[in-house]
Amino acid sequence: VGPSGILSVYCGLKPGAMLEIPVGKTGGWRGQAAVVSSKRVGFSTVETNSESTSPQARKSSPGSPAPRGSDTLWRALFESCLDGILLADSAGAIYAANPAARRLLGRSEQEIIVAGFAGIAGTSDPQLSEAIRESTQTGALQGEFVLRRKDGVEIPVEISSVVLTDENGNAVTSVAFRDTTAHRDAEQALRRSEAMLARVQEVANLGSWELDFASGEAFWSEHRYRMFGVQPGEFRPTFEGFLALVHPEDRARVKTQVEKAVKGEPYRIEYRVILPDSSIRHIHAQSDVYFDADGMPVRLVGTSLDITERRRVEEALRESEEQLRRIIESTREGVWLIDRDAVTVYVNPQMAKMLGYSSEEMLGSAIYNYIFEEDQPICQRIFGELKQTGGQQIEFRYRRKDGSAIWA
C-alpha cells in the first residue's frame, strides 16, 4: 500500500466515500476503496501502468463525482460481500438485494423487493420497518433483529445501516446484515454450561477461582462468594481481600503456600475463614500455576471445597472415640481386641492386669501367646468359628505372665 497506508487514508471518512490510491512498490497497481459503513471498508486493486496512476490518493465524498471505475467497484463489493446487503430508497422501499441477502432470506431479489422490510421482518420483531424509516432520518442504525425466510424460519441477525448519497444527490439506505444464529446458539450453550457448572459447584459445595499475578485481581465463582459469606459487587476479590477473610492463625501459612506454588510446588492446603457472622468455615483449596513463555508465573487457577461439615463430623467422631476409650479403660471388665489374624490391636488396662502384663506389652502379640499349648487347638477352632458366626459367649482358660491359669 502507498506510504500513507490504507487504514490512515480511510480512517475518519464518512460512509459512502470513495478513494483511489497507488498500490505496490512500482505503482503498477491502482487500489480503490469504498467505505461501506462505520465498521466496514471495501478494497480492490486493478493492474494499470504507472503513468495512469495518481501520485497520491484522491478522495470523494457522497454526492461528488465518483472516481473512475467506482461503479465497477461498488458492484463488485455489493455482489461479493459475505454479509447480506439491501438497498432502499428514501421512503424505505427495497430496490436491490445482493446474493448473500438472497441466500440468507431464501428469496429471489424480486421476492425481497415485493415483500419489503415488513414482509421479511420476523413475527417477533415487527418494528424493523419503523427502525429502517427512522434510520433514513438519523443516518445510521445498528442493532439485533429477527428476519423471516421464505420458508417461515426466523433467523436472528445483526443489522448495520447507513444512509448514502448517489450521483444524483438522492438518499440511499444501505442495510447490511449477518446471520447470528451460530453466535446465539454458542451463547446459549455457554449459558447452559455456566448454569450447569454453577449447579454442580453448589451441590458439591465447591467454588472455583483464578488469580492474576500481574494485577492482583481475582475471579471468583458465584458459589465461592457464598462460601466466604460475601457478595459479588460488594467484595473485591483481590489477593489481599482474600487474605483478610482467612483466619489470622492461618494467613501466614496460606501466603507461604502461594509463594511456593509460584516456584512450581503443588498448591494443596486447608485453612479457616471467618464469616461476617463470626462463624468459621474450613476450606480445602488446590490449584495449578500457569507460566508464560519466559517461565514467569501468570495466573493461579484452582478450586475451594467447603469441608466444614466433614471437620465437624470428624471432630464429633474423635470426641465419641475419646469418650468410648475413657469408658472402656475405666470399666472393671477386661476388653481385648484382636484382628482376623488373632493379633492384639487393643487391650484395656483391666484385661492386661488380669494377665499380669501392661497394655503396651500385649499390643501386636498373637492371642495364642496367652493360651496353654494343650488348649491352642481348641482356641484355633473357636477363633475360626468366630470368623463365621461373628460372635460367641464362651469361658476359656488363659495363661498369665507368671504361668498360672485364669478362667474368663
Side-chain angles (χ1 to χ4, degrees), residues 213 261-265 288-299:
F213 287 120
V262 170
K263 299 177 181 178
E265 294 188 21
D288 295 314
V289 179
Y290 290 84
F291 299 86
D292 61 16
D294 298 324
M296 299 297 294
V298 177
R299 65 185 188 278

Side-chain angles (χ1 to χ4, degrees), residues 128-355:
L128 177 60
S129 297
E130 182 61 28
I132 295 296
R133 278 194 294 270
E134 290 181 1
S135 73
T136 61
Q137 305 299 322
T138 61
L141 169 67
Q142 287 185 346
E144 296 180 354
F145 296 87
V146 177
L147 299 182
R148 186 173 68 254
R149 291 169 47 87
K150 184 178 180 179
D151 58 11
V153 175
E154 297 192 346
I155 57 173
V157 296
E158 180 185 58
I159 287 181
S160 176
S161 76
V162 293
V163 178
L164 311 175
T165 305
D166 63 16
E167 63 276 9
N168 299 318
N170 299 317
V172 176
T173 301
S174 173
V175 181
F177 64 94
R178 63 179 56 179
D179 186 352
T180 59
T181 301
H183 179 69
R184 180 200 60 185
D185 292 346
E187 284 187 337
Q188 291 177 348
L190 177 60
R191 284 194 292 269
R192 287 194 299 269
S193 177
E194 290 175 340
M196 183 178 296
L197 177 60
R199 179 56 179 162
V200 168
Q201 290 189 355
E202 182 178 3
V203 171
N205 218 359
L206 184 72
S208 58
W209 52 275
E210 179 176 336
L211 173 64
D212 183 276
F213 287 120
S215 65
E217 295 290 333
F219 163 80
W220 284 16
S221 67
E222 183 178 346
H223 192 67
R224 181 172 165 91
Y225 280 101
R226 291 200 295 269
M227 187 184 299
F228 282 69
V230 293
Q231 296 294 326
E234 297 179 2
F235 174 78
R236 187 182 177 192
T238 60
F239 183 63
E240 290 72 18
F242 155 71
L243 283 179
L245 299 175
V246 175
H247 195 288
E249 296 177 1
D250 298 340
R251 287 174 190 165
R253 186 164 52 87
V254 170
K255 190 174 182 179
T256 299
Q257 193 65 29
V258 172
E259 292 171 351
K260 290 181 178 180
V262 170
K263 299 177 181 178
E265 294 188 21
Y267 181 83
R268 306 288 186 272
I269 190 172
E270 291 184 10
Y271 55 84
R272 295 162 295 172
V273 294
I274 303 177
L275 273 61
D277 61 2
S278 298
S279 61
I280 295 178
R281 283 185 179 169
H282 295 260
I283 307 296
H284 172 81
Q286 60 183 52
S287 68
D288 295 314
V289 179
Y290 290 84
F291 299 86
D292 61 16
D294 298 324
M296 299 297 294
V298 177
R299 65 185 188 278
L300 191 66
V301 180
T303 58
S304 299
L305 178 65
D306 187 344
I307 58 172
T308 305
E309 183 62 18
R310 182 199 300 177
R311 285 287 175 263
R312 186 194 65 78
V313 172
E314 290 175 351
E315 182 62 27
L317 180 59
R318 280 194 295 269
E319 291 179 357
S320 177
E321 290 176 344
E322 178 62 22
Q323 184 177 13
L324 179 60
R325 185 187 64 80
R326 289 195 296 267
I327 293 174
I328 291 176
E329 291 187 353
S330 62
T331 184
R332 298 182 60 184
E333 295 183 344
V335 178
W336 195 351
L337 301 181
I338 58 176
D339 62 17
R340 295 184 65 84
D341 296 322
V343 175
T344 302
V345 294
Y346 174 79
V347 59
N348 75 338
Q350 184 63 21
M351 185 71 225
K353 183 179 179 181
M354 288 182 190
L355 298 178

Side-chain angles (χ1 to χ4, degrees), residues 45-183:
T45 59
V46 294
E47 187 173 11
T48 183
N49 55 54
S50 58
E51 289 78 9
S52 63
T53 305
S54 301
Q56 57 183 344
R58 294 197 303 271
K59 304 178 182 179
S60 68
S61 301
S64 64
R68 56 189 172 184
S70 62
D71 290 342
T72 302
L73 172 62
W74 273 109
R75 175 54 59 181
L77 292 172
F78 183 75
E79 296 291 333
S80 63
C81 186
L82 296 178
D83 288 347
I85 299 178
L86 303 175
L87 299 181
D89 59 23
S90 58
I94 300 173
Y95 66 83
N98 75 337
R102 301 197 292 268
R103 183 183 68 257
L104 291 171
L105 295 175
R107 304 169 188 259
S108 67
E109 185 174 46
Q110 186 59 32
E111 288 175 326
I112 295 175
I113 292 173
V114 172
F117 287 111
I120 64 173
T123 55
S124 60
D125 212 354
Q127 72 271 26
L128 177 60
S129 297
E130 182 61 28
I132 295 296
R133 278 194 294 270
E134 290 181 1
S135 73
T136 61
Q137 305 299 322
T138 61
L141 169 67
Q142 287 185 346
E144 296 180 354
F145 296 87
V146 177
L147 299 182
R148 186 173 68 254
R149 291 169 47 87
K150 184 178 180 179
D151 58 11
V153 175
E154 297 192 346
I155 57 173
V157 296
E158 180 185 58
I159 287 181
S160 176
S161 76
V162 293
V163 178
L164 311 175
T165 305
D166 63 16
E167 63 276 9
N168 299 318
N170 299 317
V172 176
T173 301
S174 173
V175 181
F177 64 94
R178 63 179 56 179
D179 186 352
T180 59
T181 301
H183 179 69

